[in-house]
Structures are given as C-alpha cells and as structure tokens.
Amino acid sequence: MATNEDLANLLFPDVTESIEDLEARYPARDLKEGAQVTRFAPSPTGFLHTGSLFTSLISYTVAKSSGGVYFFRLEDTDTKRTIEGSGDLLISQLAAFGIVADEGYFPEGDKGAYGPYKQSERKGIYRAVIKELVRRGRAYPDFCTPEDLDKIRKAQEASKVLPGYYGIYARDRNLSVEERIARIEAGTPWVIRFKSMGDHDKKTKFTDAIRGEIELQDNDTDVVILKSDGLPTYHFAHVCDDHFMRTTLITRGEEWIPSTPIHLDMFRALGWKAPKYAHIPSIMKLDHGNKRKLSKRKDPEAAVSYFLEQGYAPEALKVYLMSIANSNFEEWTIAHKTFDLSAFPFSLKKMSLDGALFDEDKLNYFAKELMAKMPLQEEYAAVLSWAKTHDVSFASRIESDPDYFKKILNIEKDRKNPRKDYAKYSDIYPLVKFFYDDEYDAIVSSPLPFQEKFAPSLLAQVLRSSAEKMPFGVEESVWFDAVKAIGGALGFAVSNKDYKTNPDAFKGSLSDVAEILRVALVGSKQSPNLHEIIEILGKDRCVERLNKVASLLEA
Ligand code: GLU
C-alpha cells in the first residue's frame, strides 16, 4: 500500500532537507529579554504607500526601542503583480526616511543570517516544509482545474453557503494516496493545499498587541500553499518565513486580521509557536463626509513620493505619522521640547483602533516646527538638494549666490522662537522671490497694494526721503528711529499712541510708514522682519528699489 511518504517523495523528489535541518540552520536568535524581532515585508508592486511607511515606521520603532532587530523581506511570490525594480525603489524610499533594516534584502545583496530575504529565492525552504506536511498527511495535491473550481463556486452560490475549498466542497481532500499518485504520474497538473483540521463552528482566539483579544471563526478552508508556478502563497510563506526568520511580532495591515485563523491553523499543524500579531490600522481620508481608506488610485497623498516631491522633510512626515500612531505624541513633543522619535516611548497599546484621518494641517504644523528648528546649514543643503530635482530654476538661483540665499533662509531663524513660515521646500521660493531683482521687477510692474488713502505724491515723498536718509548696517532700533524721523518730517505720527489719541492731526501712523516701505521693497503688505530684509537686500538694491517705485508713483 502506498503511503504519504511515497506521495511526498513523488511530489518533491529533489528535496533532501528536513524541517530539523532548517531549525538548525536558523537557530533561535540570541536576544535580550523583551527584544522584539519585527519586519517590513512588502510586495514589489509599485511605489511606497503612505500606509506602508506607517507600518514600517512602527515595525522599526518597536524593534529599535526594545533593542531587537528590524528586517526587510521582499515578498515577490505574486509574479503577475510584481513590478521590476520596485523592491529596490521601496528600499531607497525607506532609506530617505532613515528606515534602514538591520538585515534583509538589499539591492547590493542580502545582509543577515536568516536569509535569503527574497521569497522567490526561498523555494527550497518552502518545498522542504511542504514535503513534511504531505508526509504527515497535512497537505495534499489538488488537481482541480479553474473550471472545476468555478463549478464548486457556483454550487456554493446556489446553496447559499460560503465560498471556498472546505468540507464537502474540498473535492480532492479525501482522495486515496494511490489515486493521487496515479494522477501525478499521468501528468495531471496540481497545486498543494493545506489540510485544515479546523471546525467552522468553533472559534480561534488570539491576542493582538494593539487590539487585545480577537475572536474569529476557526479556519476550515484547505487553502493553496504551493501554486502551480512552484511559488508559495502569502499564507504559507508568512508562516514559514516568520518562523525561520524568528520574528517575534508581526506588524502588518489590518486587512490581514480575517486571515489570521488560517495562519494560526498552520502554525498549529507544524507544531510551531506563533509570533504575536499587531494589526496596524489603515490611514483614512474624509471624502464627501465619509471616512474611507487612503486610496492608491484616488489620492496623491497615498504615495510617499508625493510628499518628497512637494518638499516635505522626510522627518516631518515621520513625525506626523507618529502623531497618528500615538495620540499622546504631540503633547509629549511640547512637554519635552523635542521631536526626536527615538526618545519617544511609543506604545502599541496606545494606538487608536479606528484608522486615523489623514490631516494635512497637522502635517504642516509638524513640518513647520521641524523646519524652523533645522540648523541653517542643514536646511540650506536640504532645500538645494530638493530644488535640484524638483525645481531647477530655484536651484540655479540658490547656486548663483549661496550666501545671499542663506541669509534669506536665516531670517528670524536663529532665535528662541524662530519664524515658522515654511512647511515644505516648495513653500520657500514664492515667499522670498522678491529678493531677486528680475522677480521684483515683475512684481512692481503690477499695481502695488498701497493704501488708497495716501496720495501717490505723498508715497513718493516717503520713498525718496527714505532712499536718501535711511541708515544701513545699523541696529534695528537705530534704523527704526530714523524711519520715525523720516515719517515725522512728512507729517506722520512718530508713535502709534500719538496717532491713536489724535488721528486727524497726522497723515498716518508709524505703522503706515513701515508698511509703505515694505510694499515698495517687497511688493506686499506681509513679510518677515523688514529690517532684516533691508540688511539682506543691502543699500544699493534698497535705494534703487525705493527710487524706482517713487518714479512709478510720480509718473
Ligand atoms: N506582502 C504583504 C503585503 O504587502 C505583507 C503582509 C505582512 O506584513 O505580513 O501586504
């Protein structure tokens, strides 16, 4: 009589390695108490999704804060969805966020003792484990064609029962070993299915590190574990890889919760201790009043590259994502006056269970805080490097006079409460372009926003007199006293208080004088500190601009 051993040898004649051999090849990791081994295991199917960055950030943080290991595994078994080169792209995009694995797949070659870290290179491991499952009668070849499966599905629809390969619908589950061998020998194509011993009327319980206890229906489906292309399915590869890579905590998207009973069923069948699970909530978006998952197709912000192209500092997006992960994070940043993620006591238990709403204003808040605190030299280098790829004309302006641009960037920066104008690098140029003469000429070629109550001749007088008398290279207070004197001589109040008590006695207030100068020099009523601007523009440029606008007003 033929045995499962015969069947296993017929299916996998070349496999000589046993599960014991694999256990010896991938020994338990030598880690300190409490250290977590986590991983990020993307499929190479495109760009880095914001949700994936979120998941990898959490995986990385848990490993690092516990003194454990974070590794990267490339899940490339779905060859139809694989996009050439996207695995390497994911790695470089993660690296831009400082998320670099301790071990795993790297474009230049694997690093670490638990590899290979690319699933398509792990066929030998999967086949060895599946051979053992066949030998134990816990996996079997299924000969159903797509048409056969379709028939089963239709029968299930007609009987209004759940779809799937289980119970009486698992057509080839109970074939005899002889029958199986005969079909294989006749050359009938096959896949391998896991033989579940689960009972749909019973429950599987597990503790999720974020959600606590979860109770779901037991798995009773005989899922495919080895496809006809010789590659495993996600379900099996996950169980096998996370066992032999000695992962202690599976951080993965919440869409995997319903499949967890399948995975636990397999861990049980193999006699392996299942790792812990932490199912990460999805990032949501408000769409016409409805909350929905951030969508790769509909939302540009679903792609991490969107933020990089806009010129958000990678750290800003990371910090924002941490504020979604733990709602106490923002409070912590204020109390500790830092945005250093490595110092934050992240907690899986404090993660909110409903997916967080993506909030651009919040992102901008963190981004502005971080950019304001960034040291000048670092900010300069980051802006220039961003501009070189995303705004070449801005880059060439910067490079035409780096010191001038550094001074511009440094306005109201080097102080306890720095100015927070910019959330992203693309915010900078529109706000500072008036510093560049051709841009300034274009601005003043349109009507300037002077207050209408001032006659053009008066405005021109203020500008001419300032061009003549305004001091340069002096302290702000000295400069301001001079502005007062210039205004005073032309009938403006020398203090705002004087003006308030008797507005009719003056042509305008001291603030009006400053505004006239600002509009003439900058082209707008709003700008950072005017004295700093004047000092950066320098005497020649300022005098030229003041006279130029005066002439336009006199014309
Ligand atoms: N490759 C799976 C995915 O991209 C990974 C899920 C997991 O982390 O286990 O969804």
Side-chain angles (χ1 to χ4, degrees):
M1 218 178 75
T3 61
N4 280 327
E5 177 83 36
D6 300 327
L7 177 63
N9 287 331
L10 180 64
L11 287 165
F12 304 103
D14 55 318
V15 173
T16 52
E17 220 168 13
S18 67
I19 292 187
E20 289 68 41
D21 296 333
L22 293 170
E23 297 288 0
R25 176 141 50 109
Y26 302 114
R29 292 169 183 269
D30 187 16
L31 294 166
K32 70 173 181 68
E33 179 80 20
Q36 300 291 334
V37 180
T38 67
R39 84 292 191 275
F40 178 52
S43 303
T45 53
F47 53 75
L48 184 65
H49 193 255
T50 305
S52 304
L53 177 63
F54 186 52
T55 304
S56 59
L57 173 65
I58 290 166
S59 314
Y60 178 87
T61 305
V62 169
K64 293 290 152 188
S65 62
S66 65
V69 174
Y70 161 75
F71 71 85
F72 182 96
R73 181 171 69 228
L74 197 61
E75 305 214 323
D76 61 343
T77 59
D78 191 347
T79 44
K80 280 193 220 84
R81 288 174 59 229
T82 295
I83 296 174
E84 204 47 52
S86 78
D88 295 4
L89 177 70
L90 291 173
I91 292 193
S92 67
Q93 288 187 310
L94 285 168
F97 288 88
I99 302 181
V100 177
D102 301 309
E103 58 183 64
Y105 166 83
F106 285 90
E108 62 276 16
D110 277 1
K111 193 174 139 193
Y114 291 82
Y117 294 90
K118 188 176 179 178
Q119 288 183 329
S120 56
E121 290 170 8
R122 298 174 63 80
K123 282 186 188 170
I125 299 170
Y126 305 129
R127 288 162 62 82
V129 178
I130 293 175
K131 184 172 187 178
E132 180 60 28
L133 283 173
V134 172
R135 203 180 273 134
R136 294 184 200 168
R138 292 305 308 270
Y140 62 88
D142 166 29
F143 305 97
C144 285
T145 60
E147 293 74 36
D148 295 332
L149 294 175
D150 209 42
K151 252 191 245 159
I152 296 175
R153 201 165 26 244
K154 288 200 174 112
Q156 290 172 325
E157 258 170 43
S159 315
K160 297 198 163 44
V161 295
L162 290 173
Y165 203 87
Y166 62 89
I168 56 163
Y169 300 102
R171 194 195 74 178
D172 293 356
R173 178 180 162 108
N174 296 317
L175 291 180
S176 68
V177 177
E178 284 77 10
E179 182 68 37
R180 287 179 169 146
I181 290 178
R183 291 200 195 182
I184 294 164
E185 284 176 341
T188 317
W190 49 265
V191 297
I192 303 286
R193 286 189 184 265
F194 171 67
K195 187 171 187 177
S196 171
M197 296 301 186
D199 177 346
H200 204 60
D201 294 328
K202 292 203 177 124
K203 303 277 184 207
T204 291
K205 268 194 209 161
F206 66 98
T207 307
D208 184 282
I210 298 172
R211 292 150 207 271
E213 193 158 284
I214 295 185
E215 196 177 71
L216 293 167
Q217 235 146 14
D218 226 357
N219 171 57
D220 66 347
T221 300
D222 289 356
V223 295
V224 173
I225 54 179
L226 193 66
K227 301 180 288 173
S228 55
D229 61 5
L231 287 165
T233 54
Y234 168 75
H235 300 308
F236 181 72
H238 149 52
V239 170
C240 200
D241 292 345
D242 285 312
H243 175 70
F244 287 118
M245 291 177 172
R246 310 298 174 187
T247 313
T248 63
L249 179 74
I250 310 291
T251 42
R252 64 180 180 189
E254 63 184 352
E255 65 276 13
W256 292 108
I257 293 177
S259 313
T260 310
I262 302 176
H263 307 147
L264 294 173
D265 198 4
M266 287 187 207
F267 276 111
R268 270 193 300 272
L270 284 156
W272 294 342
K273 184 173 179 285
K276 280 184 285 168
Y277 287 93
H279 288 99
I280 313 288
S282 305
I283 299 176
M284 313 293 280
K285 176 168 176 140
L286 213 51
D287 186 359
H288 296 98
N290 294 320
K291 236 176 151 183
R292 63 161 173 79
K293 254 175 95 165
L294 210 56
S295 141
K296 285 191 203 186
R297 274 179 304 108
K298 294 188 210 156
D299 308 315
E301 65 271 40
V304 161
S305 55
Y306 165 81
F307 299 99
L308 299 178
E309 278 155 23
Q310 296 262 311
Y312 281 99
E315 195 64 18
L317 184 57
K318 250 166 68 173
V319 159
Y320 167 63
L321 290 177
M322 186 53 84
S323 79
I324 300 189
N326 270 188
S327 57
N328 59 322
F329 175 72
E330 186 178 346
E331 215 176 274
W332 178 89
T333 62
I334 296 166
H336 293 82
K337 299 191 173 52
T338 177
F339 294 93
D340 179 4
L341 292 178
S342 67
F344 174 64
F346 169 74
S347 154
L348 284 169
K349 289 206 175 67
K350 286 201 183 118
M351 277 190 83
S352 102
L353 300 190
D354 328 317
L357 273 184
F358 188 83
D359 177 351
E360 200 165 330
D361 292 342
K362 226 345 126 36
L363 166 65
N364 287 338
Y365 158 76
F366 283 114
K368 284 181 178 173
E369 292 285 330
L370 269 120
M371 206 167 347
K373 285 199 169 66
M374 206 187 272
L376 176 65
Q377 199 52 40
E378 195 184 312
E379 185 179 2
Y380 170 78
V383 177
L384 180 58
S385 135
W386 171 82
K388 278 184 175 167
T389 350
H390 300 286
D391 187 348
V392 282
S393 74
F394 181 24
S396 57
R397 294 240 182 235
I398 297 174
E399 285 181 310
S400 70
D401 190 346
D403 286 338
Y404 189 54
F405 182 67
K406 278 185 205 163
K407 284 183 197 155
I408 296 171
L409 215 47
N410 206 31
I411 296 173
E412 294 186 61
K413 183 174 180 68
D414 195 11
R415 55 180 69 185
K416 197 158 166 271
N417 282 314
R419 203 177 155 91
K420 292 161 192 165
D421 284 318
Y422 317 126
K424 47 192 188 296
Y425 306 137
S426 58
D427 290 344
I428 299 174
Y429 193 64
L431 291 175
V432 306
K433 63 180 182 184
F434 68 83
F435 276 104
Y436 296 93
D437 292 333
D438 56 334
E439 296 276 16
Y440 172 78
D441 290 346
I443 295 168
V444 298
S445 68
S446 301
L448 289 170
F450 290 115
Q451 292 183 56
E452 278 178 15
K453 67 176 180 187
F454 299 123
S457 56
L458 177 64
L459 294 170
Q461 271 180 303
V462 173
L463 300 179
R464 293 265 186 228
S465 164
S466 301
E468 196 185 316
K469 297 182 186 139
M470 206 163 70
F472 291 86
V474 295
E475 289 282 307
E476 185 169 1
S477 59
V478 176
W479 165 80
F480 199 56
D481 284 341
V483 172
K484 273 187 209 169
I486 292 164
L490 292 168
F492 287 83
V494 294
S495 87
N496 284 332
K497 201 169 136 233
D498 288 356
Y499 182 71
K500 272 206 185 109
T501 26
N502 194 2
D504 294 338
F506 303 100
K507 294 224 170 83
S509 69
L510 186 54
S511 313
D512 290 331
V513 180
E515 185 184 285
I516 294 167
L517 291 176
R518 176 173 276 126
V519 169
L521 291 166
V522 172
S524 152
K525 282 185 181 174
Q526 270 104 39
S527 81
N529 180 290
L530 186 59
H531 182 245
E532 281 196 48
I533 291 175
I534 287 172
E535 284 303 317
I536 295 170
L537 286 170
K539 182 171 184 177
D540 292 350
R541 254 200 194 101
C542 284
V543 169
E544 200 185 313
R545 288 185 181 195
L546 294 169
N547 284 326
K548 176 171 179 147
V549 177
S551 307
L552 289 168
L553 290 161
E554 287 156 357

